[in-house]
mmCIF file of all heavy atoms in Angstrom:
data_model
loop_
_atom_site.group_PDB
_atom_site.id
_atom_site.type_symbol
_atom_site.label_atom_id
_atom_site.label_comp_id
_atom_site.label_asym_id
_atom_site.label_seq_id
_atom_site.Cartn_x
_atom_site.Cartn_y
_atom_site.Cartn_z
ATOM 1 N N TYR P 1233 0.883 -1.245 0.011
ATOM 2 C CA TYR P 1233 -0.080 -0.024 -0.005
ATOM 3 C C TYR P 1233 0.900 1.231 0.010
ATOM 4 O O TYR P 1233 2.115 1.151 0.306
ATOM 5 C CB TYR P 1233 -0.908 0.065 1.155
ATOM 6 C CG TYR P 1233 -0.189 0.068 2.499
ATOM 7 C CD1 TYR P 1233 0.267 1.157 3.153
ATOM 8 C CD2 TYR P 1233 0.087 -1.153 3.173
ATOM 9 C CE1 TYR P 1233 0.937 1.218 4.340
ATOM 10 C CE2 TYR P 1233 0.767 -1.127 4.429
ATOM 11 C CZ TYR P 1233 1.195 0.001 5.007
ATOM 12 O OH TYR P 1233 1.773 0.016 6.172
ATOM 13 N N HIS P 1234 0.294 2.328 -0.357
ATOM 14 C CA HIS P 1234 1.107 3.600 -0.265
ATOM 15 C C HIS P 1234 0.322 4.580 0.476
ATOM 16 O O HIS P 1234 -0.883 4.628 0.455
ATOM 17 C CB HIS P 1234 1.247 4.212 -1.763
ATOM 18 C CG HIS P 1234 1.908 3.228 -2.649
ATOM 19 N ND1 HIS P 1234 3.213 2.721 -2.493
ATOM 20 C CD2 HIS P 1234 1.503 2.694 -3.892
ATOM 21 C CE1 HIS P 1234 3.543 1.968 -3.510
ATOM 22 N NE2 HIS P 1234 2.422 1.898 -4.414
ATOM 23 N N VAL P 1235 1.070 5.398 1.346
ATOM 24 C CA VAL P 1235 0.482 6.380 2.204
ATOM 25 C C VAL P 1235 1.044 7.704 1.749
ATOM 26 O O VAL P 1235 2.267 7.981 1.857
ATOM 27 C CB VAL P 1235 0.711 6.235 3.599
ATOM 28 C CG1 VAL P 1235 0.048 7.261 4.534
ATOM 29 C CG2 VAL P 1235 0.200 4.794 4.081
ATOM 30 N N GLU P 1236 0.083 8.588 1.239
ATOM 31 C CA GLU P 1236 0.469 9.870 0.674
ATOM 32 C C GLU P 1236 1.296 10.638 1.754
ATOM 33 O O GLU P 1236 0.831 10.915 2.849
ATOM 34 C CB GLU P 1236 -0.750 10.592 0.309
ATOM 35 C CG GLU P 1236 -0.466 11.904 -0.434
ATOM 36 C CD GLU P 1236 -1.689 12.448 -1.123
ATOM 37 O OE1 GLU P 1236 -2.681 12.831 -0.465
ATOM 38 O OE2 GLU P 1236 -1.669 12.453 -2.376
ATOM 39 N N GLY P 1237 2.511 11.152 1.294
ATOM 40 C CA GLY P 1237 3.368 11.966 2.143
ATOM 41 C C GLY P 1237 4.132 11.256 3.186
ATOM 42 O O GLY P 1237 4.800 11.933 4.055
ATOM 43 N N VAL P 1238 3.977 9.948 3.249
ATOM 44 C CA VAL P 1238 4.563 9.146 4.351
ATOM 45 C C VAL P 1238 5.536 8.041 3.816
ATOM 46 O O VAL P 1238 6.655 7.968 4.252
ATOM 47 C CB VAL P 1238 3.506 8.562 5.261
ATOM 48 C CG1 VAL P 1238 4.155 7.700 6.357
ATOM 49 C CG2 VAL P 1238 2.654 9.631 5.831
ATOM 50 N N THR P 1239 4.986 7.162 3.047
ATOM 51 C CA THR P 1239 5.771 5.981 2.642
ATOM 52 C C THR P 1239 6.655 6.352 1.413
ATOM 53 O O THR P 1239 6.410 7.365 0.711
ATOM 54 C CB THR P 1239 4.911 4.707 2.399
ATOM 55 O OG1 THR P 1239 3.925 5.170 1.382
ATOM 56 C CG2 THR P 1239 4.316 4.317 3.634
ATOM 57 N N PRO P 1240 7.772 5.572 1.120
ATOM 58 C CA PRO P 1240 8.780 5.973 0.193
ATOM 59 C C PRO P 1240 8.317 6.352 -1.184
ATOM 60 O O PRO P 1240 8.687 7.504 -1.723
ATOM 61 C CB PRO P 1240 9.757 4.805 0.180
ATOM 62 C CG PRO P 1240 9.587 4.126 1.433
ATOM 63 C CD PRO P 1240 8.093 4.309 1.774
ATOM 64 N N GLU P 1241 7.540 5.544 -1.827
ATOM 65 C CA GLU P 1241 7.193 5.780 -3.248
ATOM 66 C C GLU P 1241 6.379 7.013 -3.552
ATOM 67 O O GLU P 1241 6.626 7.732 -4.344
ATOM 68 C CB GLU P 1241 6.666 4.431 -3.875
ATOM 69 C CG GLU P 1241 7.736 3.476 -4.121
ATOM 70 C CD GLU P 1241 7.404 2.050 -4.268
ATOM 71 O OE1 GLU P 1241 6.946 1.456 -3.334
ATOM 72 O OE2 GLU P 1241 7.380 1.522 -5.455
ATOM 73 N N PRO P 1242 5.258 7.105 -2.690
ATOM 74 C CA PRO P 1242 4.457 8.328 -2.900
ATOM 75 C C PRO P 1242 5.210 9.680 -2.462
ATOM 76 O O PRO P 1242 4.965 10.678 -3.035
ATOM 77 C CB PRO P 1242 3.240 8.126 -2.108
ATOM 78 C CG PRO P 1242 3.599 7.054 -1.141
ATOM 79 C CD PRO P 1242 4.482 6.282 -1.838
ATOM 80 N N LYS P 1243 6.127 9.479 -1.591
ATOM 81 C CA LYS P 1243 6.976 10.679 -1.229
ATOM 82 C C LYS P 1243 7.758 11.120 -2.413
ATOM 83 O O LYS P 1243 8.078 12.384 -2.567
ATOM 84 C CB LYS P 1243 7.825 10.372 -0.054
ATOM 85 C CG LYS P 1243 7.086 10.285 1.304
ATOM 86 C CD LYS P 1243 7.952 10.185 2.469
ATOM 87 C CE LYS P 1243 8.648 11.422 2.881
ATOM 88 N NZ LYS P 1243 9.357 11.341 4.040
ATOM 89 N N GLU P 1244 8.178 10.192 -3.204
ATOM 90 C CA GLU P 1244 8.936 10.526 -4.402
ATOM 91 C C GLU P 1244 8.069 10.858 -5.661
ATOM 92 O O GLU P 1244 8.419 11.854 -6.369
ATOM 93 C CB GLU P 1244 9.880 9.394 -4.752
ATOM 94 C CG GLU P 1244 10.747 9.587 -5.998
ATOM 95 C CD GLU P 1244 11.537 8.343 -6.405
ATOM 96 O OE1 GLU P 1244 11.508 7.312 -5.515
ATOM 97 O OE2 GLU P 1244 12.069 8.221 -7.599
ATOM 98 N N LYS P 1245 6.999 10.103 -5.799
ATOM 99 C CA LYS P 1245 6.222 10.267 -7.015
ATOM 100 C C LYS P 1245 4.881 10.814 -6.821
ATOM 101 O O LYS P 1245 4.140 11.080 -7.794
ATOM 102 C CB LYS P 1245 6.161 8.821 -7.754
ATOM 103 C CG LYS P 1245 7.548 8.318 -8.103
ATOM 104 C CD LYS P 1245 7.401 6.884 -8.727
ATOM 105 C CE LYS P 1245 8.763 6.213 -8.987
ATOM 106 N NZ LYS P 1245 8.733 4.865 -9.454
ATOM 107 N N GLY P 1246 4.394 10.895 -5.624
ATOM 108 C CA GLY P 1246 3.064 11.472 -5.368
ATOM 109 C C GLY P 1246 1.949 10.644 -6.013
ATOM 110 O O GLY P 1246 2.177 9.437 -5.972
ATOM 111 N N ARG P 1247 1.002 11.308 -6.512
ATOM 112 C CA ARG P 1247 -0.149 10.584 -7.145
ATOM 113 C C ARG P 1247 0.132 10.031 -8.492
ATOM 114 O O ARG P 1247 -0.818 9.435 -9.053
ATOM 115 C CB ARG P 1247 -1.422 11.513 -7.111
ATOM 116 C CG ARG P 1247 -1.872 11.868 -5.745
ATOM 117 C CD ARG P 1247 -3.185 12.252 -5.591
ATOM 118 N NE ARG P 1247 -3.649 12.511 -4.101
ATOM 119 C CZ ARG P 1247 -4.849 12.881 -3.792
ATOM 120 N NH1 ARG P 1247 -5.902 12.831 -4.681
ATOM 121 N NH2 ARG P 1247 -5.123 12.949 -2.450
ATOM 122 N N ASP P 1248 1.333 10.133 -8.903
ATOM 123 C CA ASP P 1248 1.716 9.350 -10.098
ATOM 124 C C ASP P 1248 1.730 7.837 -9.860
ATOM 125 O O ASP P 1248 1.784 7.108 -10.738
ATOM 126 C CB ASP P 1248 3.074 9.777 -10.650
ATOM 127 C CG ASP P 1248 3.031 11.069 -11.277
ATOM 128 O OD1 ASP P 1248 1.905 11.682 -11.664
ATOM 129 O OD2 ASP P 1248 4.110 11.843 -11.533
ATOM 130 N N MET P 1249 1.695 7.523 -8.552
ATOM 131 C CA MET P 1249 1.607 6.077 -8.089
ATOM 132 C C MET P 1249 0.192 5.546 -8.414
ATOM 133 O O MET P 1249 0.046 4.310 -8.260
ATOM 134 C CB MET P 1249 1.975 5.927 -6.740
ATOM 135 C CG MET P 1249 3.445 6.185 -6.438
ATOM 136 S SD MET P 1249 4.594 5.187 -7.372
ATOM 137 C CE MET P 1249 4.133 3.513 -6.862
ATOM 138 N N LEU P 1250 -0.767 6.314 -8.844
ATOM 139 C CA LEU P 1250 -2.068 5.798 -9.154
ATOM 140 C C LEU P 1250 -2.212 5.543 -10.686
ATOM 141 O O LEU P 1250 -1.633 6.312 -11.484
ATOM 142 C CB LEU P 1250 -3.181 6.949 -8.807
ATOM 143 C CG LEU P 1250 -3.381 7.086 -7.339
ATOM 144 C CD1 LEU P 1250 -3.983 8.519 -6.965
ATOM 145 C CD2 LEU P 1250 -4.367 5.923 -6.823
ATOM 146 N N VAL P 1251 -2.885 4.477 -10.955
ATOM 147 C CA VAL P 1251 -3.050 4.082 -12.381
ATOM 148 C C VAL P 1251 -4.079 5.038 -12.979
ATOM 149 O O VAL P 1251 -4.838 5.687 -12.276
ATOM 150 C CB VAL P 1251 -3.510 2.630 -12.622
ATOM 151 C CG1 VAL P 1251 -2.405 1.679 -11.998
ATOM 152 C CG2 VAL P 1251 -4.905 2.459 -11.901
ATOM 153 N N GLU P 1252 -4.126 5.024 -14.280
ATOM 154 C CA GLU P 1252 -5.235 5.866 -14.943
ATOM 155 C C GLU P 1252 -6.500 5.186 -14.651
ATOM 156 O O GLU P 1252 -6.575 3.870 -14.646
ATOM 157 C CB GLU P 1252 -4.938 5.870 -16.538
ATOM 158 C CG GLU P 1252 -4.235 7.042 -16.925
ATOM 159 C CD GLU P 1252 -4.145 7.133 -18.469
ATOM 160 O OE1 GLU P 1252 -5.223 7.086 -19.060
ATOM 161 O OE2 GLU P 1252 -3.033 7.187 -18.961
ATOM 162 N N GLY P 1253 -7.518 5.877 -14.353
ATOM 163 C CA GLY P 1253 -8.869 5.352 -14.103
ATOM 164 C C GLY P 1253 -8.904 4.629 -12.862
ATOM 165 O O GLY P 1253 -9.829 3.776 -12.575
ATOM 166 N N PHE P 1254 -8.219 5.157 -11.841
ATOM 167 C CA PHE P 1254 -8.339 4.572 -10.471
ATOM 168 C C PHE P 1254 -9.649 4.724 -9.923
ATOM 169 O O PHE P 1254 -10.458 5.685 -10.326
ATOM 170 C CB PHE P 1254 -7.245 5.185 -9.617
ATOM 171 C CG PHE P 1254 -7.345 6.651 -9.335
ATOM 172 C CD1 PHE P 1254 -8.221 7.119 -8.349
ATOM 173 C CD2 PHE P 1254 -6.669 7.529 -10.115
ATOM 174 C CE1 PHE P 1254 -8.321 8.447 -8.099
ATOM 175 C CE2 PHE P 1254 -6.772 8.839 -9.835
ATOM 176 C CZ PHE P 1254 -7.634 9.329 -8.933
ATOM 177 N N GLN P 1255 -10.072 3.897 -8.953
ATOM 178 C CA GLN P 1255 -11.306 4.017 -8.256
ATOM 179 C C GLN P 1255 -11.102 4.751 -6.872
ATOM 180 O O GLN P 1255 -9.954 4.695 -6.354
ATOM 181 C CB GLN P 1255 -11.993 2.638 -8.057
ATOM 182 C CG GLN P 1255 -12.215 1.957 -9.358
ATOM 183 C CD GLN P 1255 -12.873 0.574 -9.058
ATOM 184 O OE1 GLN P 1255 -14.081 0.538 -8.743
ATOM 185 N NE2 GLN P 1255 -12.166 -0.473 -9.292
ATOM 186 N N THR P 1256 -12.122 5.394 -6.396
ATOM 187 C CA THR P 1256 -12.012 6.103 -5.064
ATOM 188 C C THR P 1256 -13.021 5.471 -4.091
ATOM 189 O O THR P 1256 -14.093 5.157 -4.411
ATOM 190 C CB THR P 1256 -12.386 7.588 -5.276
ATOM 191 O OG1 THR P 1256 -11.387 8.141 -6.210
ATOM 192 C CG2 THR P 1256 -12.254 8.249 -3.936
ATOM 193 N N TYR P 1257 -12.453 5.184 -2.829
ATOM 194 C CA TYR P 1257 -13.168 4.733 -1.774
ATOM 195 C C TYR P 1257 -13.145 5.731 -0.603
ATOM 196 O O TYR P 1257 -11.996 5.929 -0.087
ATOM 197 C CB TYR P 1257 -12.627 3.419 -1.389
ATOM 198 C CG TYR P 1257 -13.223 2.844 -0.108
ATOM 199 C CD1 TYR P 1257 -14.627 2.459 0.059
ATOM 200 C CD2 TYR P 1257 -12.360 2.552 0.957
ATOM 201 C CE1 TYR P 1257 -15.106 1.998 1.211
ATOM 202 C CE2 TYR P 1257 -13.001 2.015 2.098
ATOM 203 C CZ TYR P 1257 -14.290 1.616 2.214
ATOM 204 O OH TYR P 1257 -14.720 1.108 3.378
ATOM 205 N N VAL P 1258 -14.277 6.324 -0.225
ATOM 206 C CA VAL P 1258 -14.232 7.237 0.852
ATOM 207 C C VAL P 1258 -14.447 6.574 2.202
ATOM 208 O O VAL P 1258 -15.450 5.890 2.371
ATOM 209 C CB VAL P 1258 -15.345 8.331 0.619
ATOM 210 C CG1 VAL P 1258 -15.415 9.351 1.741
ATOM 211 C CG2 VAL P 1258 -15.071 9.141 -0.688
ATOM 212 N N TYR P 1259 -13.575 6.716 3.064
ATOM 213 C CA TYR P 1259 -13.605 6.275 4.447
ATOM 214 C C TYR P 1259 -13.858 7.403 5.402
ATOM 215 O O TYR P 1259 -12.923 8.162 5.741
ATOM 216 C CB TYR P 1259 -12.315 5.554 4.793
ATOM 217 C CG TYR P 1259 -12.273 4.861 6.117
ATOM 218 C CD1 TYR P 1259 -12.827 3.553 6.255
ATOM 219 C CD2 TYR P 1259 -11.748 5.523 7.260
ATOM 220 C CE1 TYR P 1259 -12.813 2.918 7.439
ATOM 221 C CE2 TYR P 1259 -11.825 4.734 8.533
ATOM 222 C CZ TYR P 1259 -12.284 3.489 8.577
ATOM 223 O OH TYR P 1259 -12.289 2.914 9.818
ATOM 224 N N ASP P 1260 -15.077 7.420 5.864
ATOM 225 C CA ASP P 1260 -15.381 8.489 6.860
ATOM 226 C C ASP P 1260 -15.911 7.908 8.134
ATOM 227 O O ASP P 1260 -15.802 6.669 8.417
ATOM 228 C CB ASP P 1260 -16.501 9.466 6.217
ATOM 229 C CG ASP P 1260 -17.721 8.684 5.743
ATOM 230 O OD1 ASP P 1260 -17.943 7.511 6.041
ATOM 231 O OD2 ASP P 1260 -18.506 9.365 4.886
ATOM 232 N N ASP P 1261 -16.451 8.680 9.026
ATOM 233 C CA ASP P 1261 -16.972 8.141 10.308
ATOM 234 C C ASP P 1261 -18.033 7.134 10.163
ATOM 235 O O ASP P 1261 -18.039 6.073 10.878
ATOM 236 C CB ASP P 1261 -17.522 9.415 11.206
ATOM 237 C CG ASP P 1261 -16.444 10.352 11.616
ATOM 238 O OD1 ASP P 1261 -15.297 10.018 11.548
ATOM 239 O OD2 ASP P 1261 -16.785 11.566 11.968
ATOM 240 N N ALA P 1262 -18.927 7.345 9.243
ATOM 241 C CA ALA P 1262 -19.974 6.434 9.040
ATOM 242 C C ALA P 1262 -19.522 5.089 8.461
ATOM 243 O O ALA P 1262 -19.924 4.016 8.944
ATOM 244 C CB ALA P 1262 -21.024 7.060 8.042
ATOM 245 N N GLU P 1263 -18.528 5.139 7.547
ATOM 246 C CA GLU P 1263 -17.968 3.882 7.075
ATOM 247 C C GLU P 1263 -17.109 3.173 8.092
ATOM 248 O O GLU P 1263 -17.157 1.955 8.253
ATOM 249 C CB GLU P 1263 -17.047 4.267 5.905
ATOM 250 C CG GLU P 1263 -16.553 3.039 5.131
ATOM 251 C CD GLU P 1263 -17.613 2.198 4.512
ATOM 252 O OE1 GLU P 1263 -18.836 2.541 4.551
ATOM 253 O OE2 GLU P 1263 -17.209 1.208 3.820
ATOM 254 N N GLU P 1264 -16.435 3.919 8.989
ATOM 255 C CA GLU P 1264 -15.710 3.256 10.063
ATOM 256 C C GLU P 1264 -16.615 2.567 10.957
ATOM 257 O O GLU P 1264 -16.432 1.393 11.379
ATOM 258 C CB GLU P 1264 -14.899 4.340 10.853
ATOM 259 C CG GLU P 1264 -14.166 3.743 11.967
ATOM 260 C CD GLU P 1264 -13.089 4.573 12.584
ATOM 261 O OE1 GLU P 1264 -11.993 4.682 11.879
ATOM 262 O OE2 GLU P 1264 -13.285 5.156 13.627
ATOM 263 N N GLN P 1265 -17.757 3.171 11.335
ATOM 264 C CA GLN P 1265 -18.756 2.480 12.239
ATOM 265 C C GLN P 1265 -19.319 1.360 11.606
ATOM 266 O O GLN P 1265 -19.632 0.231 12.218
ATOM 267 C CB GLN P 1265 -19.815 3.484 12.632
ATOM 268 C CG GLN P 1265 -20.667 2.958 13.771
ATOM 269 C CD GLN P 1265 -19.915 2.575 15.053
ATOM 270 O OE1 GLN P 1265 -19.165 3.424 15.460
ATOM 271 N NE2 GLN P 1265 -20.090 1.466 15.479
ATOM 272 N N ARG P 1266 -19.580 1.350 10.271
ATOM 273 C CA ARG P 1266 -20.109 0.266 9.508
ATOM 274 C C ARG P 1266 -19.236 -0.938 9.646
ATOM 275 O O ARG P 1266 -19.665 -2.090 9.875
ATOM 276 C CB ARG P 1266 -20.391 0.648 8.101
ATOM 277 C CG ARG P 1266 -21.061 -0.415 7.290
ATOM 278 C CD ARG P 1266 -21.150 -0.217 5.835
ATOM 279 N NE ARG P 1266 -19.915 -0.301 5.165
ATOM 280 C CZ ARG P 1266 -19.283 -1.472 4.811
ATOM 281 N NH1 ARG P 1266 -19.834 -2.653 4.996
ATOM 282 N NH2 ARG P 1266 -18.104 -1.456 4.230
ATOM 283 N N ILE P 1267 -17.996 -0.753 9.436
ATOM 284 C CA ILE P 1267 -16.855 -1.817 9.597
ATOM 285 C C ILE P 1267 -16.933 -2.398 11.004
ATOM 286 O O ILE P 1267 -16.998 -3.646 11.141
ATOM 287 C CB ILE P 1267 -15.520 -1.302 9.206
ATOM 288 C CG1 ILE P 1267 -15.484 -0.897 7.671
ATOM 289 C CG2 ILE P 1267 -14.482 -2.336 9.473
ATOM 290 C CD1 ILE P 1267 -15.728 -2.075 6.712
ATOM 291 N N LEU P 1268 -16.861 -1.480 11.966
ATOM 292 C CA LEU P 1268 -16.786 -1.996 13.384
ATOM 293 C C LEU P 1268 -18.024 -2.744 13.767
ATOM 294 O O LEU P 1268 -18.038 -3.774 14.438
ATOM 295 C CB LEU P 1268 -16.636 -0.759 14.247
ATOM 296 C CG LEU P 1268 -15.294 -0.067 14.267
ATOM 297 C CD1 LEU P 1268 -15.377 1.170 15.075
ATOM 298 C CD2 LEU P 1268 -14.244 -0.990 14.769
ATOM 299 N N ASP P 1269 -19.248 -2.361 13.230
ATOM 300 C CA ASP P 1269 -20.455 -3.086 13.443
ATOM 301 C C ASP P 1269 -20.450 -4.541 12.814
ATOM 302 O O ASP P 1269 -21.327 -5.286 13.203
ATOM 303 C CB ASP P 1269 -21.674 -2.318 12.843
ATOM 304 C CG ASP P 1269 -21.948 -1.018 13.666
ATOM 305 O OD1 ASP P 1269 -21.475 -0.937 14.856
ATOM 306 O OD2 ASP P 1269 -22.629 -0.172 13.184
ATOM 307 N N THR P 1270 -19.671 -4.785 11.874
ATOM 308 C CA THR P 1270 -19.558 -6.084 11.295
ATOM 309 C C THR P 1270 -18.813 -7.087 12.132
ATOM 310 O O THR P 1270 -18.700 -8.386 11.818
ATOM 311 C CB THR P 1270 -18.932 -6.076 9.805
ATOM 312 O OG1 THR P 1270 -17.584 -5.672 9.881
ATOM 313 C CG2 THR P 1270 -19.763 -5.214 8.937
ATOM 314 N N TRP P 1271 -17.989 -6.581 13.156
ATOM 315 C CA TRP P 1271 -17.138 -7.444 13.912
ATOM 316 C C TRP P 1271 -18.016 -8.019 15.024
ATOM 317 O O TRP P 1271 -18.018 -7.429 16.147
ATOM 318 C CB TRP P 1271 -15.959 -6.669 14.408
ATOM 319 C CG TRP P 1271 -15.025 -6.310 13.366
ATOM 320 C CD1 TRP P 1271 -15.082 -6.730 12.094
ATOM 321 C CD2 TRP P 1271 -13.771 -5.527 13.334
ATOM 322 N NE1 TRP P 1271 -14.049 -6.259 11.329
ATOM 323 C CE2 TRP P 1271 -13.280 -5.475 12.111
ATOM 324 C CE3 TRP P 1271 -13.224 -4.726 14.436
ATOM 325 C CZ2 TRP P 1271 -12.032 -4.710 11.798
ATOM 326 C CZ3 TRP P 1271 -12.051 -4.096 14.146
ATOM 327 C CH2 TRP P 1271 -11.499 -4.042 12.996
ATOM 328 N N GLN P 1272 -18.581 -9.204 14.834
ATOM 329 C CA GLN P 1272 -19.511 -9.762 15.702
ATOM 330 C C GLN P 1272 -18.869 -10.426 16.983
ATOM 331 O O GLN P 1272 -17.621 -10.655 16.867
ATOM 332 C CB GLN P 1272 -20.284 -10.795 15.007
ATOM 333 C CG GLN P 1272 -21.060 -10.318 13.797
ATOM 334 C CD GLN P 1272 -21.619 -11.416 13.071
ATOM 335 O OE1 GLN P 1272 -21.570 -12.657 13.393
ATOM 336 N NE2 GLN P 1272 -22.364 -11.131 11.834
ATOM 337 N N ASN P 1273 -19.590 -10.524 17.997
ATOM 338 C CA ASN P 1273 -19.150 -11.304 19.178
ATOM 339 C C ASN P 1273 -19.260 -12.717 18.859
ATOM 340 O O ASN P 1273 -20.302 -13.281 18.721
ATOM 341 C CB ASN P 1273 -19.971 -10.881 20.335
ATOM 342 C CG ASN P 1273 -19.695 -11.691 21.663
ATOM 343 O OD1 ASN P 1273 -18.825 -12.498 21.637
ATOM 344 N ND2 ASN P 1273 -20.286 -11.309 22.721
ATOM 345 N N LEU P 1274 -18.047 -13.447 18.761
ATOM 346 C CA LEU P 1274 -18.093 -14.843 18.392
ATOM 347 C C LEU P 1274 -17.781 -15.802 19.471
ATOM 348 O O LEU P 1274 -17.476 -16.958 19.302
ATOM 349 C CB LEU P 1274 -17.092 -15.099 17.252
ATOM 350 C CG LEU P 1274 -17.237 -14.318 15.901
ATOM 351 C CD1 LEU P 1274 -16.146 -14.535 14.874
ATOM 352 C CD2 LEU P 1274 -18.578 -14.716 15.230
ATOM 353 N N TRP P 1275 -17.809 -15.245 20.673
ATOM 354 C CA TRP P 1275 -17.630 -16.105 21.934
ATOM 355 C C TRP P 1275 -18.802 -17.142 22.051
ATOM 356 O O TRP P 1275 -19.884 -16.649 21.713
ATOM 357 C CB TRP P 1275 -17.611 -15.318 23.201
ATOM 358 C CG TRP P 1275 -16.412 -14.321 23.340
ATOM 359 C CD1 TRP P 1275 -15.241 -14.455 22.681
ATOM 360 C CD2 TRP P 1275 -16.328 -13.403 24.330
ATOM 361 N NE1 TRP P 1275 -14.422 -13.491 23.173
ATOM 362 C CE2 TRP P 1275 -14.993 -12.862 24.200
ATOM 363 C CE3 TRP P 1275 -17.043 -12.924 25.319
ATOM 364 C CZ2 TRP P 1275 -14.448 -11.854 25.042
ATOM 365 C CZ3 TRP P 1275 -16.674 -11.863 26.209
ATOM 366 C CH2 TRP P 1275 -15.396 -11.416 25.974
ATOM 367 N N PRO P 1276 -18.497 -18.364 22.275
ATOM 368 C CA PRO P 1276 -19.674 -19.248 22.415
ATOM 369 C C PRO P 1276 -20.639 -18.797 23.577
ATOM 370 O O PRO P 1276 -21.874 -18.884 23.456
ATOM 371 C CB PRO P 1276 -19.014 -20.589 22.861
ATOM 372 C CG PRO P 1276 -17.649 -20.531 22.209
ATOM 373 C CD PRO P 1276 -17.251 -19.002 22.251
#
């Protein structure tokens, strides 16, 4: 993975590390809660 402004390749090349036609996924508060809500209690 690449982290903008942090990991080596994007620090050198920026968003040139993205392919043409890349897709975007927005991770906001609601999406974070949605993920956390999928983590069920699996204790017997």
Side-chain angles (χ1 to χ4, degrees):
Y1233 59 86
H1234 303 302
V1235 178
E1236 189 166 63
V1238 179
T1239 55
E1241 286 162 288
K1243 287 185 77 170
E1244 178 186 349
K1245 301 176 183 177
R1247 295 200 175 188
D1248 286 344
M1249 291 302 300
L1250 285 158
V1251 300
E1252 267 188 57
F1254 64 85
Q1255 300 181 71
T1256 299
Y1257 170 62
V1258 176
Y1259 183 85
D1260 54 17
D1261 293 339
E1263 185 66 357
E1264 178 164 287
Q1265 191 58 52
R1266 185 188 71 80
I1267 293 294
L1268 291 170
D1269 288 345
T1270 66
W1271 290 354
Q1272 302 172 2
N1273 178 355
L1274 299 177
W1275 291 348

